[in-house]
């Protein structure tokens, strides 16, 4: 069973700054199976990145994903006010398709 | 327009049962793998389980905390996904979402319902 850890737990940044979020897997994950979601309070999650690096439809190009094997990264190049939220990684290859615990990006 | 609408949540006593439904529209339901995800109050997302489409075997997989107590099923003729929850525990209290990852060629789109709240309490 693959366990995902995310760091940091909370990232306090100002609008315009760069955010770098890490997702580490307990064993190698196919890049095809690594996903990133964004969730805002009171809302369902929204797909941001699939296949480790493919942006979902309608996602701005300030969001990018990278990585392979056990180490994956979500980068937000310049934070906009609407980007302050919780971000989850997930592997949806072999079951169970666990989520990471999340990284909260909040306003400094 | 793709829509997923969950129903069936509510208050139930520990040890009790509940069946959630997820009514799907706007896409070919029988072609989709369907997933249940839950979120306890103030906590992160937890994958509950999934059911494959019938052409892929229609099989189910579950997270360890619910295996043996929860059952996912589907009715493709009614475009509805189900989650039968038995022997409920207080730690099953959460908003339950159904979700459908859909592929159009190499492009993935995920659709989520609005969620239904299940509260397990005496």
């Amino acid at each position: 069973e693959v366990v995902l850890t995310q760091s940091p737990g909370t990232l306090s940044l100002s609008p315009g700054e760069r955010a770098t979020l890490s997702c580490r897997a307990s064993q190698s994950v196919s890049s095809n199976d690594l996903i990133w979601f964004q969730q805002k309070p009171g809302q369902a999650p929204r797909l941001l990145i699939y296949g480790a690096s493919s942006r979902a439809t309608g996602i701005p190009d300030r969001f990018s994903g990278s990585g392979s094997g056990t180490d994956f990264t979500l980068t937000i190049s310049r934070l906009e006010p609407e980007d302050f939220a919780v971000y989850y990684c997930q592997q949806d290859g072999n079951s169970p398709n666990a989520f990471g615990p999340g990284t909260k990006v909040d306003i400094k | 327009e793709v829509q997923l609408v969950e129903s069936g949540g509510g208050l139930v006593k520990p040890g009790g049962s509940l069946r959630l439904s997820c009514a799907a529209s706007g896409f070919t339901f029988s072609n989709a793998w369907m997933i249940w995800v839950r979120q306890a109050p103030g906590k992160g997302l937890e994958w509950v389980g999934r059911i494959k489409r019938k052409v892929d075997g229609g099989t189910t997989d579950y997270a360890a905390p619910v295996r043996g107590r929860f059952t996912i099923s589907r009715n493709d003729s009614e475009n509805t996904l189900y989650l039968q929850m038995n022997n409920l525990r207080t730690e099953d209290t959460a908003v339950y979402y159904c979700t459908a990852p859909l592929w159009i060629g190499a492009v993935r789109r995920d659709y989520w319902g609005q969620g239904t709240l299940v509260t397990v309490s005496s």
Side-chain angles (χ1 to χ4, degrees), chain A residues 47 50 54-58, chain B residues 101-111:
Chain A
L47 178 67
Y50 60 93
S54 296
R55 266 188 305 278
T57 303
Chain B
L102 302 180
W103 289 90
I104 302 171
V107 176
R108 172 172 169 158
R109 289 196 182 200
D110 279 28
Y111 294 92

Side-chain angles (χ1 to χ4, degrees), chain B residues 2 11 19 23 45 50 58 70 87 92 107 113 119:
Chain B
V2 171
L11 175 64
R19 188 177 83 156
L45 301 173
R50 72 175 176 203
F70 289 13
N87 191 19
D92 295 319
V107 176
T119 302

Side-chain angles (χ1 to χ4, degrees), chain B residues 22-33:
Chain B
C22 171
S25 60
F27 65 101
T28 305
F29 180 77
S30 59
N31 273 348
W33 290 26

